[in-house]
Amino acid sequence: MFTPTSDLADAAALTTRPSMALSVRNARLFAGTIILLFLLLGIGYSLVVPPFETPDEIYHYAFARHLAQGNALPVQSDDVKGPWEQEGSQAPLYYMLVGWLTSGIDQNDFAAISTLNPRANIGDPLFPGNKNRMLYSAVAYPLQGANLALHIGRWCSLLLGALTLWLTYLTARLAFPRACALPLFTLLVVASIPQFIFISASLSNDNLIITASAAVVYWLARLLAKPTAVPPVQGKIDQLYLWEWLMLGLLLGIAALSKLQGLGLFVLSALAVLLLAWTRRDGWLPLRAFLPVALPAVVLAGWWYWRNYTLYGDWSGVSHLLANNGLRSHPLTLASFWQEFRGLRYSFWGLFGWFNLLLPTWIYTLLDIVTIGAAAGLVFALRRRVRTIFVTSYGRVRLLVLLWAALSIVLIFYWISQANGSQGRLLFPAINAFAILLSLGLNVWLRRLSTRWRLTAFLALPAFLFACSLFVLTVLLPASYAAPKPVTSIPATAKTVDVIYGDQDKIRLLALEIPPTRFKPGDYVPVTLYLRADIKIKDDYQVFIQLLDDQRSEVGNLTTHTGWGRNPTRLWQAGAIYADTYPVLIEGAIDEHSPLLAQVYIGFVDPKTEQSGHLPIPAHTQAGAKIDPPFLGQITISPAQWPQLDHPGAQIVGTQFGQVIQLSQYDQPQEITATTQSTLPVTLLWDAIGTPATDYTAFVHLRRADGKPVAGVDRAPAADRFPTHFWRAGDRILSDYTLSLPQGLPVGVYDIWVGLYESNSGGALRLPVTEKAGRTTGDGEVWLGKVTVH
């Protein structure tokens, strides 16, 4: 059995030894240092992240700017979207605060720093390019005008983040009253989480609801931590004062006016009040608390919910929020949930930009292991201490944070079931609760270590998270948004093309480089372009790379602003050479009868004329000769599976031509009826056993017994799709030939002959038969068999 006294001693495992003891004063000094370090990191993030390169920041800013200009709250519509998009349906307190702070700033240059990248990659961290939501994120804007207002909003958020940390520390002290190190560990973990720093350094209403939630949880924890007695003992119960209930109502009102998630705190508060009434054996307490809590909350936030009801017939405004944000089109299944759960886990620790910048994946695996270990420890701790959870003050506080963590999980899963996408930042209103539970769970295992190793083990996680945060600040974010630097030379392996695009803004494609390897469907083909502009370009042009089959149908296509979106042509330095590498996905339908020699079509598009149909801008040589279309390279795409001739009547041949091509199998009808059939189908299976020196054409002839031809077809084995001089040993080609039979073909027995000749010889230069596996004439042809015509 565990008594309150023994449980307290167990919770204080980190501080029972003199070598690890911390005074309250020193603990607060450490806490202040941690928060100061967080602020310094956050300022770095706010300056390194380009304008509007955090989730929905451009819409949050537009809402705040709208209010800063003296306008009323926007009225949302399903048909007409303002620059604030779905954020115009959000609770307005944060935007009022930022709008008030920035109202004296001229923000008319907003359009100049908010040009969207039309090819931006949003929500796909595995896609290699276009991470920038804004087209000119590589530009360093001065801190003035709209950019200054944006950063004031970011710094306001950062101060809210610092306040969240302090409230988290105070709540952790109530959860671990005699363990000074555990509250510091809790604080340090939250302050080091890369995603928390990233969001705290952004202009987003998430920051106000996170702080308001931390404040409500702390205030409830403070009320629950007041001494009580079961059963009541005179003089052993602290009074609950009217001003404390009024403060709770004020904090709940702030939360409700910050974001709809704040409404979950009303449920948490109701549960906490019931717990207070039960532990104090005071059944009238909920009634006495109701009015002083409800009144300030309703006065502060009720007007906005009433406005929603009168405007939209929906007191929460969720219908318009979902209509603009995107309703889930398909029910949430187990498979889709697991995929979203991975994104939720990743983005809790760190998924940056517009949900498209990942940390190395092994980091998430390691943090998953830590989380599972902490969860197991938490279950073990709660199971052991269930008898004391209502008796001790810290037990009630731990129950409170557990309830808030559970409620937050329920809320986010409800949101996932209704809307597209889920992000870990939506769990941040309960980040203090999760961090306290993490500390409690890890402490179950780490307290078993010796004094020498215990502190090191506890510091390992925040140190690791801090290192990740520094990596994001100094490496990941700069590399994702900075424009690529010019190169000084073009490698000898690149193919010189020197094609000029456009007549005024002249873009020169000096060379390109494609690896001389084979590709398969689903592969990415790396295409490197060496580009230059001799004079400053005035417009932004998009480059496209298409992979076309023999029918000029697309089997791969990529369109983007240059530099993978980070270096649009307007930012180019005159005379500088830029090396842009683009992986083009092979995704079109590939005929599996043979490999495909795909043409690489490279061009540029003027976005201003794209809608009118004037897609590619003209391409020409330096001498002015037009290049249409500019097929500038070729790649070989092998089929996913080599073709097989598995027809029941297929015959094995095995005849080799020139020791480079083997006719392995064939299939033909043995008999046909001339009165009902006008064609004779013949299928040939070729295998490359070497590298042909030139292009060859195959002939399939139907001859009479005296050798006179009556029908025939001459065509390359793979037609224009894959000329033979591109064949390599191991290639396999399945060819279908259809011989048109002349009218009135006499009945009789006819022979089918097959051979190969050089395509440019007109049939004169045949490829000799070098390995005979059947009847031949000695003139580069092989007899396949007889066909009886009835």
Side-chain angles (χ1 to χ4, degrees), residues 621-645:
T621 65
Q622 289 197 63
K626 186 177 181 181
I627 306 174
D628 186 25
F631 291 160
L632 304 178
Q634 297 169 322
I635 64 165
T636 299
I637 304 173
S638 299
Q641 292 183 338
W642 292 112
Q644 302 290 333
L645 187 54

Side-chain angles (χ1 to χ4, degrees), residues 596-658:
L596 168 67
L597 184 68
Q599 301 293 327
V600 181
Y601 177 18
I602 300 172
F604 284 84
V605 174
D606 184 351
K608 294 184 298 185
T609 64
E610 185 174 4
Q611 298 302 321
S612 62
H614 305 120
L615 289 177
I617 60 177
H620 54 84
T621 65
Q622 289 197 63
K626 186 177 181 181
I627 306 174
D628 186 25
F631 291 160
L632 304 178
Q634 297 169 322
I635 64 165
T636 299
I637 304 173
S638 299
Q641 292 183 338
W642 292 112
Q644 302 290 333
L645 187 54
D646 51 7
H647 298 170
Q651 302 294 318
I652 298 176
V653 183
T655 299
Q656 295 182 8
F657 294 86

